[in-house]
Amino acid sequence: MEKNEKTSQIPGFYKLPIEKRRSIVKDFANLSDQDFNVFSEQMNIDLADRMIENVLGTFEIPFGIALNFRIDNKDVLIPMVVEESSVVAAASNAAKIARIHGGFKTSVSDPIMIGQIQVLDIPDLVHAAEEIIELKQNLLQIANEQDKILVNLGGGAKDVEVRILNSPLGAMIVLHLLVDVRDAMGANAVNTMVEALAPIVQEITKGKVRLKILSNLADRRIATATAIFDREKMGGEEAVDAFLESYTLATIDPYRAATHNKGIMNGIDAVLIATGNDFRAVEAGAHAYAARNGQYTSLTRYWKDGSGNLIGEIELPVAVGIVGGAGSIHPKAILCKRIMGIKSADDLSRSIASLGLAQNFAAVFALSTVGIQKGHMSLHAKNIAMMAGAKDTEIDKVAAQLVKEGKIRLDRAKEILKTLK
Ligand code: NAD
C-alpha cells in the first residue's frame, strides 16, 4: 500500500458506536456531514410514490459496510443492504484473509447487453436469416438512432446475430442485438432499440414478430475476480483440503450448487440494493449462467497453488449501472456509490465479483470447518432475543446466554428474559 492511501482495514470497527462508524466511513469517502445526513433520513414519500405504484410508505432494511476489501490494488469500502445476520461480517472476514496475498484481482468484459427479437411463421428461414445479416448495418443504424447519448459515449448497438430455434410452434428466428450500454444497466436502452427494430425485422423476414425484450442472460458482460486465501490463516493443509472437498459437491450437484450460489448472491444482492441496481436482473443472469453447459453448477472455482494456498475464482454476468434506473434517483444509493468511489459500471462490477467470491469463500470455509451454525447462530441469537421481547441491554444478555447454552431457541430466550425482569 502507498503511504497515504486510505485503508479499508479498520480494526474493532464492529465494536465502535454507530456514530463513530459513520464518521470513519464519511472521512474515508470524503463526504460532508450534510452529504452523510441522507443516511439518517427516511426517503421522501413523494419520491417513493413516483418510483412504484400504490405506495403506502417505505420499508427499511439494515445498511452496513464490508471492510478489508482490496480490489486491484485499491482499498474499497463496500456498502451492503441486507436483512440476514452474519453476511457483512463473513464478507469482511474473507476479505481480510484475501488481503494477506494482495486482495482481489478482477477483470471485466465490455458492457454488452443482448436484446432479443422473436420472429415466428417465417416462410423461408434460411433466406430470412441471410437477409438480416445482409442488412445488419441498416439495422444497427436504426437502433443507434434511438439513443444518441449512448452512441456519443462510445456505446450503442454493435452487432446483430441470428439464431434459428425449433419449438412446438415450428422453427423461429431469434435475432440478437448486441448493445454496448457503457455505464448503464441498459434494459431501457436495449428495449427501446429492439422495439424500434421490430417492424423492420418483420418486413425483412416476412414473418411475425412477437417478443422484443432484453435478455437477462448477460453472458457478453462478464466479470471475474480471483484471490489467494492463505493456507496458514485457514488453519493449514487439512483445512484447505476440507474446503476443496466441500466445494466439490457444488460442482457436481445442483442441490448443493443452488445453496452455494445463494451464498454468493447474499453479498452481491446486498451491494446491488445499496447501489440502486436491479438485483432480480443480476440474480436471473447469474443462475442462468451457472447452467450454461447444460447442468446447473457453481459460479466459483477453487484449487490449490504450489504453496498449498487456496485460489478462488468467480465468473458471472454482472449487468449493473451507475447511471439510470433507480440508482440515479435514490438518495442513499447515490451516496453508497460515492462511498465506493466508483467512476464506472466496470468499477462496480469488479467490486461485485470480489464481494461474491469473498461471500462464497466465507460460507464454504465455515461449512467445511466449524459448520455454519456456530458463526451464524451467535448473531442470529440477537434476533431471537429481540423476537422474545428483549430490549436494549437485555438483547445482548439473552443472546449471550443462548449462545453459551448452545440453544438458540425462542422458547428458551423467553425463559431467560423472564429471569432478567
Ligand atoms: P435508463 O434508461 O434510466 O438510463 C440509461 C440511459 O442513460 C442510456 O440509455 C443513455 O441514454 C443515458 N446515459 C447517460 N450517461 C450514460 C453513461 N455514462 N452510460 C450509459 N448511458 C448513459 O436505464 P437503463 O440502464 O437503460 O435501464 C435500467 C432499468 O431498467 C432498471 O431500473 C431496470 O429495473 C429496468 N428494467 C429491467 C428489465 C430487465 O431486467 N429484464 C426490463 C425492463 C426494465
Side-chain angles (χ1 to χ4, degrees):
M1 267 183 87
E2 308 262 316
K3 208 163 159 233
N4 292 327
E5 205 185 315
K6 286 181 181 164
T7 176
S8 63
Q9 204 168 21
I10 307 162
F13 188 80
Y14 70 102
K15 286 188 249 164
L16 298 172
I18 291 176
E19 272 316 313
K20 181 70 187 154
R21 291 185 207 150
R22 285 181 174 176
S23 125
I24 290 173
V25 172
K26 185 173 65 81
D27 291 345
F28 183 97
N30 290 326
L31 295 168
S32 68
D33 286 339
Q34 204 185 355
D35 288 334
F36 216 75
N37 276 344
V38 166
F39 288 123
S40 319
E41 291 161 8
Q42 271 215 321
M43 183 197 265
N44 182 304
I45 194 71
D46 295 329
L47 174 60
D49 200 31
R50 281 199 299 277
M51 287 176 76
I52 67 161
E53 310 74 38
N54 299 352
V55 162
L56 301 180
T58 54
F59 188 99
E60 300 294 322
I61 304 179
F63 158 51
I65 200 99
L67 305 177
N68 303 321
F69 276 84
R70 187 158 179 79
I71 302 172
D72 299 321
N73 301 321
K74 190 166 175 272
D75 275 34
V76 183
L77 290 178
I78 304 187
M80 297 177 77
V81 171
V82 61
E83 86 297 349
E84 191 177 346
S85 57
S86 85
V87 170
V88 178
S92 304
N93 286 336
K96 195 170 173 184
I97 300 179
R99 49 186 302 135
I100 296 171
H101 294 278
F104 298 85
K105 302 282 177 275
T106 69
S107 72
V108 282
S109 64
D110 283 340
I112 302 287
M113 297 297 287
I114 299 168
Q116 295 195 295
I117 303 177
Q118 175 201 25
V119 202
L120 303 123
D121 303 339
I122 301 172
D124 185 341
L125 280 163
V126 175
H127 180 69
E130 284 168 357
E131 282 290 289
I132 292 171
I133 297 301
E134 182 86 2
L135 295 167
K136 187 197 280 192
Q137 291 310 327
N138 302 35
L139 294 172
L140 292 176
Q141 193 190 333
I142 295 160
N144 282 328
E145 278 162 13
Q146 313 307 314
D147 202 329
K148 292 274 164 54
I149 299 177
L150 209 50
V151 174
N152 287 340
L153 291 166
K158 298 290 180 190
D159 206 356
V160 171
E161 293 176 351
V162 180
R163 299 163 67 218
I164 297 178
L165 300 180
N166 288 315
S167 84
L169 303 176
M172 64 181 82
I173 279 182
V174 179
L175 181 152
H176 278 192
L177 182 70
L178 307 189
V179 185
D180 182 324
V181 295
R182 299 282 87 200
D183 289 320
M185 182 271 182
N188 288 322
V190 170
N191 289 344
T192 308
M193 287 183 183
V194 285
E195 284 190 9
L197 289 183
I200 302 139
V201 171
Q202 182 150 300
E203 207 174 294
I204 296 171
T205 56
K206 303 192 171 47
K208 180 179 76 187
V209 166
R210 184 57 68 200
L211 290 182
K212 33 206 186 288
I213 178 86
L214 170 102
S215 169
N216 285 113
L217 176 50
D219 62 0
R220 308 292 174 98
R221 196 177 187 181
I222 299 295
T224 72
T226 60
I228 300 171
F229 297 98
D230 188 70
R231 180 180 100 151
E232 293 316 313
K233 199 75 192 164
M234 285 179 69
E237 194 178 351
E238 245 175 70
V240 175
D241 289 341
F243 184 105
L244 288 169
E245 285 164 8
S246 307
Y247 147 71
T248 300
L249 185 57
T251 66
I252 56 165
D253 178 18
Y255 286 95
R256 172 61 203 147
T259 322
H260 181 92
N261 291 341
K262 188 271 179 185
I264 293 172
M265 302 316 287
N266 272 343
I268 291 183
D269 280 348
V271 65
L272 291 172
I273 297 171
T275 54
N277 271 287
D278 185 336
F279 55 98
R280 288 87 53 211
V282 178
E283 281 270 354
H287 294 294
Y289 194 67
R292 66 193 177 284
N293 294 324
Q295 180 176 319
Y296 185 86
T297 186
S298 166
L299 287 165
T300 50
R301 288 196 319 122
Y302 292 94
W303 63 96
K304 273 197 275 193
D305 71 5
S307 317
N309 295 313
L310 182 76
I311 304 189
E313 180 187 71
I314 189 168
E315 176 185 320
L316 81 170
V318 182
V320 292
I322 59 157
V323 293
S328 283
I329 49 174
H330 192 299
K332 287 179 188 158
I334 293 168
L335 216 55
C336 282
K337 286 183 273 187
R338 287 182 64 190
I339 290 175
M340 293 180 81
I342 44 179
K343 302 272 182 296
S344 65
D346 264 25
D347 287 348
L348 179 55
S349 304
R350 291 173 194 276
S351 291
I352 286 172
S354 304
L355 180 60
L357 177 60
Q359 208 74 61
N360 183 238
F361 167 81
V364 179
F365 186 40
L367 279 172
S368 62
T369 51
V370 290
I372 202 86
Q373 293 308 73
K374 187 164 179 277
H376 196 83
M377 288 314 256
S378 53
L379 280 161
H380 185 54
K382 288 190 187 179
N383 289 344
I384 297 287
M386 284 189 274
M387 278 168 67
K391 301 251 169 359
D392 306 323
T393 54
E394 291 168 353
I395 299 169
D396 281 344
K397 286 184 191 154
V398 173
Q401 187 60 27
L402 290 172
V403 170
K404 197 169 155 206
E405 293 175 12
K407 284 186 213 140
I408 321 282
R409 293 200 323 252
L410 186 59
D411 55 343
R412 183 63 194 131
K414 285 182 177 162
E415 284 169 16
I416 298 167
L417 187 60
K418 267 193 207 144
T419 67
L420 296 178
K421 299 270 183 199

Short mmCIF file of all heavy atoms in Angstrom, two decimals, residues 141-171:
data_model
loop_
_atom_site.label_atom_id
_atom_site.label_comp_id
_atom_site.label_asym_id
_atom_site.label_seq_id
_atom_site.Cartn_x
_atom_site.Cartn_y
_atom_site.Cartn_z
N GLN A 141 -27.87 0.99 -37.56
CA GLN A 141 -28.06 2.45 -37.67
C GLN A 141 -29.40 2.87 -37.05
O GLN A 141 -29.46 3.83 -36.27
CB GLN A 141 -28.00 2.85 -39.14
CG GLN A 141 -27.87 4.34 -39.32
CD GLN A 141 -28.05 4.76 -40.77
OE1 GLN A 141 -27.78 3.98 -41.69
NE2 GLN A 141 -28.51 5.97 -40.96
N ILE A 142 -30.44 2.11 -37.37
CA ILE A 142 -31.77 2.45 -36.82
C ILE A 142 -31.75 2.29 -35.29
O ILE A 142 -32.27 3.13 -34.55
CB ILE A 142 -32.87 1.57 -37.45
CG1 ILE A 142 -32.98 1.90 -38.95
CG2 ILE A 142 -34.22 1.76 -36.76
CD1 ILE A 142 -33.65 0.84 -39.78
N ALA A 143 -31.13 1.23 -34.83
CA ALA A 143 -31.04 1.01 -33.37
C ALA A 143 -30.31 2.19 -32.73
O ALA A 143 -30.76 2.73 -31.70
CB ALA A 143 -30.31 -0.30 -33.08
N ASN A 144 -29.24 2.62 -33.34
CA ASN A 144 -28.43 3.68 -32.72
C ASN A 144 -29.10 5.06 -32.77
O ASN A 144 -28.78 5.93 -31.96
CB ASN A 144 -27.04 3.73 -33.36
CG ASN A 144 -26.18 2.62 -32.80
OD1 ASN A 144 -26.33 2.24 -31.64
ND2 ASN A 144 -25.29 2.06 -33.61
N GLU A 145 -30.05 5.22 -33.70
CA GLU A 145 -30.80 6.48 -33.72
C GLU A 145 -31.66 6.62 -32.47
O GLU A 145 -32.09 7.73 -32.12
CB GLU A 145 -31.69 6.54 -34.98
CG GLU A 145 -30.90 7.00 -36.20
CD GLU A 145 -31.59 6.67 -37.51
OE1 GLU A 145 -32.81 6.33 -37.48
OE2 GLU A 145 -30.93 6.75 -38.56
N GLN A 146 -31.91 5.53 -31.79
CA GLN A 146 -32.78 5.57 -30.60
C GLN A 146 -32.06 6.13 -29.37
O GLN A 146 -32.70 6.50 -28.39
CB GLN A 146 -33.32 4.16 -30.24
CG GLN A 146 -33.88 3.35 -31.39
CD GLN A 146 -34.92 4.12 -32.17
OE1 GLN A 146 -35.81 4.73 -31.59
NE2 GLN A 146 -34.78 4.13 -33.49
N ASP A 147 -30.74 6.08 -29.36
CA ASP A 147 -30.02 6.51 -28.14
C ASP A 147 -28.73 7.22 -28.51
O ASP A 147 -27.63 6.64 -28.43
CB ASP A 147 -29.75 5.30 -27.23
CG ASP A 147 -29.51 5.71 -25.79
OD1 ASP A 147 -28.99 6.82 -25.56
OD2 ASP A 147 -29.86 4.93 -24.88
N LYS A 148 -28.87 8.47 -28.89
CA LYS A 148 -27.71 9.26 -29.33
C LYS A 148 -26.71 9.44 -28.19
O LYS A 148 -25.50 9.48 -28.41
CB LYS A 148 -28.18 10.63 -29.85
CG LYS A 148 -28.98 10.54 -31.14
CD LYS A 148 -28.06 10.56 -32.34
CE LYS A 148 -28.69 10.10 -33.64
NZ LYS A 148 -29.90 10.78 -34.04
N ILE A 149 -27.23 9.54 -26.97
CA ILE A 149 -26.33 9.77 -25.81
C ILE A 149 -25.35 8.60 -25.71
O ILE A 149 -24.15 8.78 -25.59
CB ILE A 149 -27.14 9.90 -24.50
CG1 ILE A 149 -28.09 11.09 -24.59
CG2 ILE A 149 -26.21 10.02 -23.29
CD1 ILE A 149 -28.99 11.27 -23.37
N LEU A 150 -25.92 7.40 -25.78
CA LEU A 150 -25.11 6.18 -25.66
C LEU A 150 -24.05 6.14 -26.77
O LEU A 150 -22.88 5.84 -26.52
CB LEU A 150 -26.04 4.97 -25.76
CG LEU A 150 -25.64 3.69 -25.05
CD1 LEU A 150 -25.26 3.95 -23.62
CD2 LEU A 150 -26.80 2.70 -25.11
N VAL A 151 -24.48 6.47 -27.98
CA VAL A 151 -23.56 6.43 -29.13
C VAL A 151 -22.45 7.46 -28.94
O VAL A 151 -21.27 7.17 -29.16
CB VAL A 151 -24.33 6.68 -30.45
CG1 VAL A 151 -23.37 6.78 -31.63
CG2 VAL A 151 -25.34 5.56 -30.68
N ASN A 152 -22.81 8.66 -28.47
CA ASN A 152 -21.80 9.70 -28.26
C ASN A 152 -20.78 9.31 -27.19
O ASN A 152 -19.67 9.81 -27.17
CB ASN A 152 -22.45 11.03 -27.88
CG ASN A 152 -23.13 11.65 -29.09
OD1 ASN A 152 -22.82 11.31 -30.23
ND2 ASN A 152 -24.10 12.54 -28.83
N LEU A 153 -21.19 8.40 -26.30
CA LEU A 153 -20.27 7.96 -25.25
C LEU A 153 -19.42 6.77 -25.70
O LEU A 153 -18.67 6.20 -24.92
CB LEU A 153 -21.08 7.55 -23.99
CG LEU A 153 -21.76 8.69 -23.24
CD1 LEU A 153 -22.79 8.16 -22.25
CD2 LEU A 153 -20.71 9.53 -22.51
N GLY A 154 -19.59 6.38 -26.97
CA GLY A 154 -18.79 5.25 -27.49
C GLY A 154 -19.54 3.93 -27.42
O GLY A 154 -19.02 2.88 -27.78
N GLY A 155 -20.78 3.98 -26.91
CA GLY A 155 -21.57 2.75 -26.83
C GLY A 155 -22.53 2.64 -28.00
O GLY A 155 -22.27 3.19 -29.07
N GLY A 156 -23.63 1.92 -27.79
CA GLY A 156 -24.64 1.75 -28.83
C GLY A 156 -24.65 0.34 -29.39
O GLY A 156 -23.87 -0.51 -28.96
N ALA A 157 -25.56 0.13 -30.34
CA ALA A 157 -25.70 -1.20 -30.95
C ALA A 157 -24.45 -1.52 -31.76
O ALA A 157 -23.99 -0.68 -32.54
CB ALA A 157 -26.93 -1.22 -31.84
N LYS A 158 -23.88 -2.70 -31.55
CA LYS A 158 -22.60 -3.03 -32.18
C LYS A 158 -22.69 -4.19 -33.15
O LYS A 158 -21.88 -4.31 -34.06
CB LYS A 158 -21.56 -3.40 -31.10
CG LYS A 158 -21.25 -2.29 -30.12
CD LYS A 158 -20.46 -1.16 -30.77
CE LYS A 158 -20.15 -0.05 -29.78
NZ LYS A 158 -19.61 1.14 -30.39
N ASP A 159 -23.65 -5.08 -32.93
CA ASP A 159 -23.68 -6.26 -33.80
C ASP A 159 -25.07 -6.90 -33.76
O ASP A 159 -25.87 -6.64 -32.84
CB ASP A 159 -22.63 -7.28 -33.35
CG ASP A 159 -22.16 -8.19 -34.49
OD1 ASP A 159 -22.71 -8.07 -35.61
OD2 ASP A 159 -21.27 -9.00 -34.26
N VAL A 160 -25.30 -7.73 -34.80
CA VAL A 160 -26.57 -8.47 -34.88
C VAL A 160 -26.22 -9.93 -35.11
O VAL A 160 -25.35 -10.25 -35.93
CB VAL A 160 -27.41 -7.94 -36.08
CG1 VAL A 160 -28.62 -8.84 -36.31
CG2 VAL A 160 -27.86 -6.51 -35.84
N GLU A 161 -26.87 -10.80 -34.37
CA GLU A 161 -26.67 -12.24 -34.57
C GLU A 161 -28.03 -12.88 -34.80
O GLU A 161 -29.05 -12.39 -34.30
CB GLU A 161 -26.00 -12.87 -33.35
CG GLU A 161 -24.56 -12.39 -33.16
CD GLU A 161 -23.90 -12.92 -31.90
OE1 GLU A 161 -24.60 -13.54 -31.06
OE2 GLU A 161 -22.69 -12.71 -31.76
N VAL A 162 -28.02 -13.98 -35.53
CA VAL A 162 -29.29 -14.66 -35.81
C VAL A 162 -29.23 -16.10 -35.30
O VAL A 162 -28.26 -16.81 -35.57
CB VAL A 162 -29.58 -14.68 -37.33
CG1 VAL A 162 -30.90 -15.39 -37.62
CG2 VAL A 162 -29.61 -13.27 -37.88
N ARG A 163 -30.24 -16.49 -34.56
CA ARG A 163 -30.34 -17.88 -34.11
C ARG A 163 -31.62 -18.47 -34.68
O ARG A 163 -32.65 -17.78 -34.73
CB ARG A 163 -30.37 -17.95 -32.58
CG ARG A 163 -29.12 -17.37 -31.93
CD ARG A 163 -29.35 -17.08 -30.46
NE ARG A 163 -29.55 -18.28 -29.68
CZ ARG A 163 -30.41 -18.40 -28.66
NH1 ARG A 163 -31.16 -17.36 -28.32
NH2 ARG A 163 -30.53 -19.53 -28.01
N ILE A 164 -31.55 -19.73 -35.11
CA ILE A 164 -32.77 -20.42 -35.53
C ILE A 164 -33.08 -21.49 -34.49
O ILE A 164 -32.24 -22.33 -34.18
CB ILE A 164 -32.60 -21.05 -36.94
CG1 ILE A 164 -32.34 -19.93 -37.96
CG2 ILE A 164 -33.82 -21.88 -37.32
CD1 ILE A 164 -32.11 -20.40 -39.39
N LEU A 165 -34.25 -21.39 -33.89
CA LEU A 165 -34.62 -22.31 -32.81
C LEU A 165 -35.86 -23.10 -33.19
O LEU A 165 -36.80 -22.56 -33.78
CB LEU A 165 -34.92 -21.53 -31.52
CG LEU A 165 -33.80 -20.67 -30.93
CD1 LEU A 165 -34.27 -19.98 -29.65
CD2 LEU A 165 -32.56 -21.50 -30.63
N ASN A 166 -35.86 -24.40 -32.83
CA ASN A 166 -37.05 -25.21 -33.05
C ASN A 166 -37.95 -25.13 -31.83
O ASN A 166 -37.46 -24.98 -30.70
CB ASN A 166 -36.65 -26.66 -33.31
CG ASN A 166 -36.03 -26.80 -34.68
OD1 ASN A 166 -36.54 -26.25 -35.66
ND2 ASN A 166 -34.89 -27.48 -34.76
N SER A 167 -39.24 -25.20 -32.07
CA SER A 167 -40.18 -25.14 -30.95
C SER A 167 -41.42 -25.93 -31.32
O SER A 167 -41.60 -26.29 -32.49
CB SER A 167 -40.57 -23.69 -30.69
OG SER A 167 -41.63 -23.32 -31.56
N PRO A 168 -42.30 -26.20 -30.35
CA PRO A 168 -43.55 -26.90 -30.67
C PRO A 168 -44.40 -26.10 -31.68
O PRO A 168 -45.28 -26.65 -32.33
CB PRO A 168 -44.27 -26.98 -29.33
CG PRO A 168 -43.20 -26.82 -28.30
CD PRO A 168 -42.16 -25.95 -28.91
N LEU A 169 -44.12 -24.80 -31.81
CA LEU A 169 -44.86 -23.97 -32.78
C LEU A 169 -44.17 -23.93 -34.14
O LEU A 169 -44.59 -23.20 -35.03
CB LEU A 169 -44.98 -22.53 -32.25
CG LEU A 169 -45.64 -22.35 -30.89
CD1 LEU A 169 -45.59 -20.88 -30.46
CD2 LEU A 169 -47.09 -22.83 -30.92
N GLY A 170 -43.12 -24.68 -34.28
CA GLY A 170 -42.34 -24.66 -35.51
C GLY A 170 -41.05 -23.87 -35.30
O GLY A 170 -40.85 -23.28 -34.23
N ALA A 171 -40.19 -23.84 -36.33
CA ALA A 171 -38.91 -23.15 -36.20
C ALA A 171 -39.14 -21.63 -36.18
O ALA A 171 -40.11 -21.14 -36.78
CB ALA A 171 -38.01 -23.52 -37.36
#
